């Protein structure tokens, strides 16, 4: 999946049934680290390349990667036939604890409960919410992210990205041959 604008040039490949292999270069070291954690803990194979207008800041890069990743997740899940659909994961990272609950519903919604102000290297912590908003809107998933506690912004972001990987990995696993909906489709 690719996205090319005047602000970014993004390409993402994803295998939801992978082993956690990753090859990531976004131009933002901390974002690379977070995407690596997402892939590792979701057991996804993920490759990301982005050339963005980092002279402005990291917003366009972070958001556009979320858009492309979300579109790819939606395409890979297709009609969602047989997937678990719902999942939740709690992940601690030292003093931080995050809970992520996902519904691969076909309805985009993000509820983000966390205060991630401050910089981590060349990454603005507040862009974490923007990344997940872009993923949800384009993957057509409902996502509740609750940062239950934390003091260190790096640890808080890490707990969230790991939790998201684990929850999406569980929700996208094939468990039957039917769509998990009383309507018969999602």
């Amino acid at each position: 999946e690719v996205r090319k604008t005047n602000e970014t040039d993004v390409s993402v490949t994803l295998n939801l049934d992978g082993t956690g292999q990753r090859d990531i270069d976004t131009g933002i070291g901390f974002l690379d680290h977070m995407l690596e954690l997402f892939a590792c803990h979701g057991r996804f194979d993920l490759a990301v390349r982005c050339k963005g207008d980092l002279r402005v800041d990291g917003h366009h890069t972070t958001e556009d990667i979320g858009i492309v990743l979300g579109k790819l997740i939606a395409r890979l899940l297709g009609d969602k036939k047989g997937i678990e659909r719902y999942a939740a994961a709690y992940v601690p990272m030292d003093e931080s604890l995050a809970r992520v609950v996902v519904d691969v519903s076909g309805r985009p919604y993000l509820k983000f409960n966390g205060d991630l102000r401050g910089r981590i290297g060349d990454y603005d912590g507040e862009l974490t919410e923007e990344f997940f908003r872009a993923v949800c809107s384009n993957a057509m998933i409902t996502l509740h992210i609750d940062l239950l506690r934390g003091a260190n912004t790096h640890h808080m972001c890490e707990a969230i990205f790991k939790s998201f990987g684990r929850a999406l990995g569980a929700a996208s696993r094939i468990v039957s041959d039917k769509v998990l909906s009383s309507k018969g489709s999602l």
Side-chain angles (χ1 to χ4, degrees):
E1 189 78 26
V2 295
R3 176 180 171 90
K4 197 172 214 177
T5 70
N6 291 334
E7 299 167 337
T8 63
D9 183 354
V10 180
S11 69
V12 178
T13 60
L14 175 67
N15 177 358
L16 294 173
D17 299 316
T19 61
Q21 295 179 31
R22 53 238 181 240
D23 181 17
I24 300 168
D25 184 4
T26 67
I28 303 172
F30 187 76
L31 182 57
D32 292 355
H33 181 47
M34 293 301 100
L35 292 171
E36 289 167 354
L37 295 172
F38 160 73
C40 176
H41 290 272
R43 295 183 182 91
F44 308 129
D45 295 340
L46 177 66
V48 179
R49 289 283 173 272
C50 182
K51 292 192 186 301
D53 59 353
L54 296 178
R55 69 191 181 294
V56 174
D57 71 6
H59 187 103
H60 300 136
T61 293
T62 304
E63 183 177 41
D64 284 8
I65 290 168
I67 289 169
V68 175
L69 181 62
K71 285 181 179 184
L72 192 51
I73 290 167
R75 185 164 54 83
L76 292 172
L77 291 174
D79 66 4
K80 301 166 198 71
K81 185 176 180 182
I83 64 167
E84 182 68 38
R85 182 179 168 182
Y86 302 100
Y90 287 82
V91 171
M93 177 60 202
D94 294 346
E95 85 296 340
S96 299
L97 178 63
R99 173 183 56 217
V100 173
V101 182
V102 65
D103 177 6
V104 180
S105 61
R107 291 182 309 277
Y109 185 82
L110 173 66
K111 179 63 176 173
F112 190 94
N113 178 24
D115 185 4
L116 297 173
R117 292 185 208 151
R119 291 186 65 79
I120 310 141
D122 52 358
Y123 179 82
D124 290 314
E126 65 188 18
L127 292 178
T128 304
E129 184 172 357
E130 296 306 317
F131 171 81
F132 285 107
R133 186 172 323 288
V135 169
C136 287
S137 295
N138 290 278
M140 302 295 287
I141 61 175
T142 296
L143 193 61
H144 288 255
I145 298 174
D146 295 297
L147 184 58
L148 301 174
R149 62 183 63 89
N152 179 292
T153 307
H154 181 131
H155 295 166
M156 293 186 285
C157 287
E158 190 163 325
I160 289 169
F161 275 85
K162 287 176 179 177
S163 294
F164 176 56
R166 293 181 65 80
L168 184 63
S172 63
R173 287 198 175 64
I174 301 294
V175 295
S176 77
D177 61 351
K178 301 195 178 2
V179 173
L180 185 57
S181 172
S182 59
K183 294 179 250 182
S185 69
L186 291 171

